[in-house]
Amino acid sequence: MKFNYIWKNKQSTSEIDIISNPSNKELLLTFEQHFSQPIKLSATDFKTNRQVMIDLNNIEAIEASGHFTKIFLVDGTELLLNKILKELAYLESFRLVRINNSMILNLNQIHSFASGSHARLEVITKQQHKYIVSRHYAKSIKEKLI
């Protein structure tokens, strides 16, 4: 099977066009099912020391904590992940973006934002938690929110 790629700047980043022969329909439906499944992370609940599978939509924020990261869920639960923030850069395509050197925030959980001091951005989540976006990340966060 041969793959041909055509890159279009006007194409939405959340869409992929596939043109194929009708005989490949079964294969393409399998691909679609695989890619449309929600992405989950495996983290450790440090109170019970059990592995938990979490849906990315349930994450409010992820904070660096040495060689580990703390995951804060929308229900207030805190989990531990055995990765550093740099290893979680792929989550940006799922609207979990870096807001400063030690924090990743779920853009889907933002309720409001306002300009802060020193060109920073203050973000309030739906759970009424306040986060500070550093001036280095503020412009890209504003573009993604508006």
Side-chain angles (χ1 to χ4, degrees):
M1 184 174 290
K2 182 180 176 188
F3 290 92
N4 297 319
Y5 298 98
I6 300 170
W7 309 110
K8 297 179 183 177
N9 288 331
K10 293 182 181 179
Q11 181 80 17
S12 170
T13 57
S14 63
E15 294 180 13
I16 297 175
D17 292 335
I18 299 175
I19 302 168
S20 180
N21 187 299
S23 64
N24 291 329
K25 185 175 181 178
E26 294 286 328
L27 178 62
L28 292 176
L29 289 174
T30 305
F31 283 165
E32 184 179 7
Q33 284 178 337
H34 176 73
F35 286 111
S36 64
Q37 291 179 357
I39 303 294
K40 296 189 178 225
L41 277 179
S42 176
T44 305
D45 184 348
F46 52 87
K47 292 178 183 173
T48 62
N49 203 26
R50 290 188 175 184
Q51 288 293 103
V52 181
M53 294 300 289
I54 52 172
D55 188 356
L56 295 182
N57 294 327
N58 293 333
I59 296 174
E60 179 180 328
I62 302 173
E63 182 180 32
S65 181
H67 294 292
F68 298 95
T69 54
K70 282 185 183 178
I71 299 176
F72 300 96
L73 301 181
V74 294
D75 65 2
T77 306
E78 292 182 22
L79 302 172
L80 202 59
L81 187 62
N82 192 13
K83 293 185 179 191
I84 59 174
L85 285 185
K86 198 174 199 177
E87 294 177 77
L88 300 174
Y90 71 93
L91 295 176
E92 189 159 327
S93 61
F94 301 101
R95 296 187 49 90
L96 286 150
V97 296
R98 196 95 176 240
I99 60 168
N100 56 44
N101 287 338
S102 62
M103 186 74 69
I104 292 175
L105 187 64
N106 187 344
L107 295 182
N108 296 329
Q109 295 299 322
I110 293 178
H111 179 265
S112 63
F113 66 93
S115 295
S117 60
H118 306 290
R120 293 182 182 147
L121 195 62
E122 294 179 1
V123 175
I124 308 290
T125 62
K126 293 175 184 174
Q127 292 73 32
Q128 300 303 310
H129 295 123
K130 183 178 176 181
Y131 296 96
I132 302 296
V133 179
S134 76
R135 61 189 174 97
H136 299 291
Y137 295 98
K139 182 179 178 185
S140 67
I141 297 294
K142 284 181 192 176
E143 290 171 355
K144 290 176 183 177
L145 290 174
I146 296 176

